[in-house]
Amino acid sequence: MTDGRSRPAPRPPEGTPPPAELARQARAVLADAVRIARWAAGDRDPGVGPLDAATAERAATALELTPDQVRAGWDRARLAGLVELHGTAVRPGWRLQAWDRDDSAVQRGWVALFDAWSLVHPAPDDVAASTVAEVVEAVPQVLSLLQLSAGPVLVPALLDLLQQRVAELHEERCEVPYGPQPAPVEPPEPEPPAGELLPPLLDWALEGLAAVGALTLGKGQATLTPLGNWAVWVKLEQICVAAQSPAGNIEQSAQHMLRGCARLTPGPARAEYRAWLAARTIGSAVTELLAVARGEDALLRGLAFEALRVVGAPAEGEVRAAATDSSLRPYALLWLAEYEGADPEDAADVLTREESTWLWVDTAAAVADHGESDLLVRHLDSAVQGNVPALLDEVRAVGHPRTVQVLVALAAAHPDPALAKAVRRAAFQVHTGGA
């Protein structure tokens, strides 16, 4: 429970341009990406696959760009959510449709590109992926120094901070093996010492951040752009919100966090999801949420997908994969329908009758475990069948593992003796394997 007080809305640092100006700068950074996305939406066959060499040449001619510029702009369009890949098909993203009228959509699109800077500017091939990952993990500290300095920072100072942070990461992950360790069959190729690797990797990181418009590079120094300064402030605010998580779930596992959110109304629950997500990498958070969704608690399953709605686009791949799991399929299909632009009230149309029935039973299980009996009775009205006999027939056929418990709970809760008797009979038939 909360005391009803809310944290006042944070104000950006003094000198930060207003949102309209930030959006204008973001539109300038992504101008080529928007042109390519609109060309793809208007001049290509709907649903055509990713950009191939021939299409890139055609786009280059139409837009008066080089093929390399087209490919770079296409990658940015995907990373910023201007185009979306659905399997082998490409569709215009919702941000593309809102680009000219919605400044907040533009800012969010640019932040998505900012978060993906290491994909925009690929790392050197001759450096181990683990070393690159450490540098990417350490870059937020480098950006924080740039933001706090409010002006140019010399590269040697940034390198000192990067070296310190990478050393801390090594110390945090240090594992001492126990027992005899088998000798490797072939010793791995020795990698250059970190002191030799970090200067070029810092250059790579700064160039990648400059490529997405987050900073400018001068002779031996780097400076955050207004967009970059604003983005770093936003990230720091997210961390502050996480640290001040009102329900106290920021350090909890996904399971305990979702249990805590079960007592909250939707608005505060979404704030709690955002706080919890801000303290974790998106990949690990999505994996943890889906692991909870695969558990036995139907209430946590539904809440896990609510949290995944807050994650948005970065969760699409794993949610799409989860649609092959029968226990998650209805939730995953609804998530994907809403992600692709369906109105939440119409999203259920993507489910088959069997999937809708499975979801009805799963939701009833959540209500039976955590809700009031009158909620379970009212849940009858949400069934697609429209009458109890048809519902019972299809519930028995769908094979949900909680069918018996749900029907017993419904029979105990329903005030109509005749209907309760029919529901109990159906529960008995499922329990004994009868028709």
Side-chain angles (χ1 to χ4, degrees), residues 373 377-378 380 388-389 392 407-425:
S373 58
V377 173
R378 291 204 297 271
L380 270 175
V388 172
L392 295 179
L407 293 178
V408 168
L410 181 58
H414 207 284
D416 185 333
L419 189 148
K421 181 179 179 180
V423 173
R424 272 194 299 272
R425 184 184 306 115

Side-chain angles (χ1 to χ4, degrees), residues 36 38-52 55 58-59 74 83 90:
I36 292 165
R38 285 178 172 158
W39 175 84
D43 290 6
R44 300 173 73 203
D45 294 333
V48 74
L51 208 68
D52 55 25
T55 309
R58 193 157 60 87
W74 181 255
V83 293
V90 176

Side-chain angles (χ1 to χ4, degrees), residues 22-77:
L22 290 171
R24 186 196 66 76
Q25 295 178 18
R27 287 186 176 99
V29 171
L30 284 161
D32 282 353
V34 170
R35 289 181 66 205
I36 292 165
R38 285 178 172 158
W39 175 84
D43 290 6
R44 300 173 73 203
D45 294 333
V48 74
L51 208 68
D52 55 25
T55 309
E57 290 282 356
R58 193 157 60 87
T61 301
L63 300 173
E64 297 183 349
L65 299 171
T66 67
D68 285 345
Q69 287 174 320
V70 169
R71 281 185 284 271
W74 181 255
D75 286 340
R76 288 167 176 248

Side-chain angles (χ1 to χ4, degrees), residues 254 257-258 261 266 269-274 276-277 282 285-286 288-290 292 299-313 315 319 335:
M257 180 273 293
L258 292 171
C261 290
R270 282 192 293 273
E272 196 70 10
Y273 301 149
R274 291 189 186 97
W276 186 84
L277 290 164
I282 290 297
V286 170
E288 193 175 347
L289 288 168
L290 285 173
V292 174
L299 175 65
L300 297 190
R301 187 159 28 255
L303 292 176
F305 276 87
E306 288 301 317
L308 288 168
R309 284 178 172 84
V310 174
V311 176
V319 172
W335 188 100

Side-chain angles (χ1 to χ4, degrees), residues 83-145:
V83 293
E84 298 171 356
L85 295 179
H86 298 273
T88 59
V90 176
R91 300 176 192 166
W94 69 268
R95 284 189 182 127
L96 182 63
Q97 301 170 24
W99 197 253
D100 291 330
R101 56 180 168 77
D102 188 340
D103 288 348
S104 64
V106 174
Q107 289 173 273
R108 287 194 297 270
W110 182 83
V111 169
L113 181 69
F114 168 71
D115 288 339
W117 67 266
S118 60
L119 301 179
V120 173
H121 190 63
D125 293 332
D126 56 350
V127 180
S130 59
T131 304
V132 173
E134 288 173 347
V135 170
V136 172
E137 191 170 348
V139 159
Q141 278 69 33
V142 173
L143 290 168
S144 295
L145 175 59

